[in-house]
């Protein structure tokens, strides 16, 4: 049976090298405990305190470290593993120096006056290829340079052989040249790799310089001492006849090794800085250096605290890093992290420092990242996925959150003043508690519109504390069906109707539609919270594309089989495409359901698409049952519902004026509070004057009539006489409102 240390005080205790598979350490205090080389597979460390613990070489594979405190923990390679790696790389450096005999001998023969012509040709070619290798490594990177240099070496070897064969009597030196150049390239590659592998363990340039010097000495030993000690294995069996020749050969060897050292330091520096040209070397270095280091493979580090932890040579592949805190962690660039948000050097830097001003994180997968208290002013997250991320107390002033996925994101106490939130995807799980925000912009800025679609609309107003969350929080979980080209209203109507019939449990209900650009269209529908939106979207577009591909005759037949609601939805889509519109500030409380959809009109009700509210300028709702429209600028309804529709068609301007006068007389004779009566009469008089003009000002009349309706409805709830007046006035208001261009039953009018 596994041991149970849950909740115990284990401060400073040593578990070094022990097998603790499956042990329960949940809630235990293990501050400064020693877990070096311990086996901790599938152990439970939930809420455990491992502050300043030594975990070098510990194996936490598949362990549960949820909410564990690992601040200041010391991970990485144990001492004996570091010594093994050092010895291995030292031997590689000696071997590298020994193989450099090819290069040194070729250059040595080039410098000798008495050398044969064939030797001089080989020396010149070797020198040129080395220079080419050096320059191509700087320009292209080590991996591509090796590939190119091998190809160039093969060509150079062939040319050298041909030249030597034609112009000299020695037929063998040219053939040996292939070995000369190959040795030079392999030599440089081995030393570079050795330098980076060890340099990466401490991740600073000074260590790389020291290591390059040490391995340079090892290479020098391999090039000079080994051939003298074991002459029989020396490739060229160098025989020293004159002291000056020996000195010259040693100097030449030192120059070649210094050349390789400089190249090694350069590559190490670039690899550490995240240069993409040296990505492969960086990955190989981290792979080798993490062998024997602390392993968190497949461990659950959700909300774990790794503040100030030392993490070099640590393996985090497949680990769950949801909301894991890496603030001021050391060695994060030398961690083997696999596929996760740590791949991006900018993200790693932000996690460590908390400073991300003006940085670009566009289209990055940042699900579950922990940016708590980070400074992200003017940062760009266009198209990024920040779902389930921790953004508590984060400063996102003027940040670009355009098309950003924010499902379940925690914005508690964050600052969003001046942020651009065009088409951001927020859900009921997005937490806006305590958000500080004076204003936001619904679109990205342009030269003509540097602050487009500001909310609040009045530039003299700002959101009060806590008000932004109420303003922006969506009412529904929505399915966003974005049509990028070739919009077909008939196919949209049929496909959506069919989707709703196939998935009644999804409780689909259209809440918004909008034209985007010239040929793009967004249909947004409310869904049940448990709905698989990905599946619904895929099924919808399969049907949509299939219907679009049908011949015209078959589409007409298909439409004939459907009910009138298909026609209604088709007409709504057509109107949205023809008359794109934007928000009106008439009802700020309604914007919450369309916060990520600046423009268009909102549709609700059953699948047929009845209009609940129409916000914006010049909106026109075409068809639907029980249509309702919100006051906007020039809103119109082409087909009203049955109540009052026939009457509206037969009404004239004179009839409407008489109806308004009739309302005025009714109110004057009612037993209403004096101030209420005076207000109602004033509004009705203004509505009557606006209507009784040569060109009726329907908008002004509509605004006044709306005020009358609101006042009467409120009065009817508190005054008995008001109920009687409202009952009589209601059908009159419906008739007048219909003639003025608003659907009878308007939500604003309270009908």
């Amino acid at each position: 049976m596994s041991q149970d240390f849950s909740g115990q005080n284990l401060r400073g205790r040593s578990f070094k090298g022990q097998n603790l598979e499956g042990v329960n350490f949940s809630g235990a205090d293990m501050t400064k405990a020693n877990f070096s080389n311990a086996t901790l597979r599938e152990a439970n460390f939930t809420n455990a305190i491992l502050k300043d613990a030594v975990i070098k070489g510990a194996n936490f594979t598949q362990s549960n470290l949820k909410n564990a405190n690992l601040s200041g923990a010391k991970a990485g390679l144990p001492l004996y593993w570091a010594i093994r790696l050092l010895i291995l790389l030292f031997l590689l450096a000696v071997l590298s120096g020994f193989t450099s005999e090819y290069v040194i001998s070729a250059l040595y023969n080039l410098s000798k006056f008495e050398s044969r012509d064939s030797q001089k040709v080989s020396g010149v070619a070797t020198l040129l290829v080395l220079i080419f290798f050096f320059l191509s490594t700087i320009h292209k990177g080590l991996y591509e340079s090796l590939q190119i240099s091998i190809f160039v070496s093969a060509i150079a070897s062939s040319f050298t052989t041909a030249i030597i064969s034609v112009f000299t009597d020695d037929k063998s030196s040219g053939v040996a040249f292939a070995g000369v150049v190959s040795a030079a390239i392999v030599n440089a590659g081995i030393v570079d790799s050795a330098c980076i592998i060890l340099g990466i363990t401490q991740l600073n340039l000074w260590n790389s310089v020291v290591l390059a010097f040490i391995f340079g000495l090892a290479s020098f030993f391999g090039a000079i001492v080994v051939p003298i000690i074991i002459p029989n294995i020396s490739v060229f069996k160098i025989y020293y006849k004159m002291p000056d020749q020996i000195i010259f050969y040693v100097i030449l060897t030192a120059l070649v090794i210094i050349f390789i050292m400089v190249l090694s330091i350069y590559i190490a520096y670039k690899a550490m800085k995240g240069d993409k040209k040296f990505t492969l070397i960086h990955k190989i270095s981290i792979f080798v250096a993490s062998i024997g280091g602390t392993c968190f493979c497949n461990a659950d580090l959700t909300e774990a605290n790794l503040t100030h932890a030392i993490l070099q040579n640590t393996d985090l592949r497949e680990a769950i890093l949801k909301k894991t805190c890496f603030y001021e962690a050391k060695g994060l660039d030398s961690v083997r992290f696999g596929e996760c948000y740590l791949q991006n050097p900018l993200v790693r830097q932000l996690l460590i420092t908390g400073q991300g001003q003006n940085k670009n994180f566009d289209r990055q997968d940042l699900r579950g990242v922990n940016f708590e208290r980070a400074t992200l002013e003017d940062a760009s997250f266009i198209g990024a996925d920040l779902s389930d991320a921790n953004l508590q107390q984060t400063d996102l002033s003027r940040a670009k959150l355009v098309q950003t996925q924010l499902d379940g994101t925690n914005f508690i106490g964050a600052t969003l003043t001046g942020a651009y939130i065009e088409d951001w995807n927020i859900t009921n799980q997005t937490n806006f508690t305590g958000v500080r925000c004076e204003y936001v912009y619904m679109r990205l800025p342009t030269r003509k519109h540097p602050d487009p679609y500001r909310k609040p609309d009045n530039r003299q107003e700002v959101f009060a504390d806590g008000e932004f969350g109420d303003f922006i929080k969506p009412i529904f979980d929505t399915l966003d069906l974005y049509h990028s080209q070739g919009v077909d209203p008939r196919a949209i109507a049929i496909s959506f109707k069919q989707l709703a019939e196939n998935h009644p449990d999804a409780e689909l209900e259209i809440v918004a539609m909008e034209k985007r650009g010239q040929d793009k269209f967004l249909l947004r529908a409310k869904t049940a919270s448990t709905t698989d939106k990905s599946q619904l979207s895929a099924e919808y577009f399969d049907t949509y594309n299939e219907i679009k591909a049908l011949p015209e005759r078959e589409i007409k037949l298909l439409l004939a089989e459907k009910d009138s609601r298909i026609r209604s939805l088709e007409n709504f889509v057509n109107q949205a495409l023809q008359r794109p519109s934007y928000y009106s500030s008439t009802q700020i409380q309604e914007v919450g359901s369309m916060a990520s959809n600046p423009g268009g009109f909102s549709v609700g009700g059953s699948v047929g698409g009845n209009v609940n509210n129409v916000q914006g300028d010049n909106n026109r709702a075409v068809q639907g049952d029980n249509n309702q429209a919100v006051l906007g600028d020039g809103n119109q309804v082409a087909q009203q519902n049955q109540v009052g529709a026939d009457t509206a068609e037969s009404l004239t301007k004179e009839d409407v004026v008489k109806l308004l006068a009739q309302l005025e007389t009714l109110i004057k004779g009612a037993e209403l509070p004096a101030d209420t009566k005076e207000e109602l009469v004033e509004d009705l008089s203004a509505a009557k004057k606006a209507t009784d003009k040569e060109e009726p000002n329907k908008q002004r009349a509509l605004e006044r009539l709306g005020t009358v309706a609101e006042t009467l409805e409120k009065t009817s709830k508190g005054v008995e006489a008001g109920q009687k007046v409202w009952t009589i006035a209601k059908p009159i208001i419906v008739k007048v409102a219909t003639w003025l261009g608003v659907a009878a039953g308007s939500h604003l009018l309270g009908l």
Side-chain angles (χ1 to χ4, degrees), residues 279-334:
T279 299
L280 179 64
I281 288 297
H282 195 181
K283 288 182 178 179
I284 293 173
S285 303
I286 290 173
F287 165 72
V288 174
S290 65
I291 297 174
T294 305
C295 181
F296 288 104
C297 287
N298 293 291
D300 189 347
L301 287 160
T302 300
E303 298 189 41
N305 182 4
L306 292 167
T307 302
H308 299 289
I310 300 173
L311 298 173
Q312 65 243 23
N313 313 124
T314 300
D315 194 340
L316 287 172
R317 286 174 301 156
E318 305 300 325
I320 300 174
L321 301 175
K322 185 177 179 180
K323 300 181 181 178
T324 307
C325 179
F326 292 100
Y327 184 65
E328 293 191 351
K330 298 178 181 178
L332 193 58
D333 285 339
S334 65

Side-chain angles (χ1 to χ4, degrees), residues 437-440 453-464 467 471 585 588:
C437 180
E438 296 182 358
Y439 55 89
V440 292
Y453 306 106
R454 180 189 187 273
K455 297 294 176 183
D457 296 285
N458 187 344
R459 301 187 186 283
Q460 305 305 315
E461 295 180 3
V462 295
F463 292 117
E467 191 175 43
F471 164 77
S585 59
I588 195 170

Side-chain angles (χ1 to χ4, degrees), residues 56 70 120 149 151 251 373 425 489 495 519 530 676 711 744:
K56 292 184 176 181
L70 289 154
K120 291 183 178 181
S149 296
F151 176 72
I251 292 173
R373 298 181 184 278
N425 187 11
S495 302
D519 59 351
T530 57
T676 301
T711 304

